[in-house]
Amino acid sequence: MSQWDKLIKRILTLSNDLRFQELRKVLEYYGYTMYAPNSGSSHYTFRKPGCYPITIPKHEPIKVVYVKMIKQLIESEVSSDENT
């Protein structure tokens, strides 16, 4: 199993030890662009045309609520790939 597959599996099982950089890698893979926060904020926004923006704080470890958002994104991307 590749590192990418292990990362996706950890997200889909809602692992509570994910790091910001791991979620960033997944979001950028699916076409999201990261926008840095203004004036000292720790919340980064990821945007993709035609999709709602996703805001994630850069804290370690990432809270499960944010991992759930990424899980939903992965599931919707996979289902749209299967329909194509």
Side-chain angles (χ1 to χ4, degrees), residues 33-70:
T33 304
M34 184 178 80
Y35 292 91
N38 296 327
S39 66
S41 176
S42 64
H43 288 65
Y44 287 75
T45 302
F46 294 86
R47 297 179 188 276
K48 179 179 178 181
C51 298
Y52 290 108
I54 298 174
T55 302
I56 301 176
K58 189 174 183 178
H59 298 275
E60 304 290 333
I62 300 295
K63 292 184 180 180
V64 175
V65 66
Y66 300 106
V67 178
K68 286 180 182 179
M69 290 189 325
I70 306 304

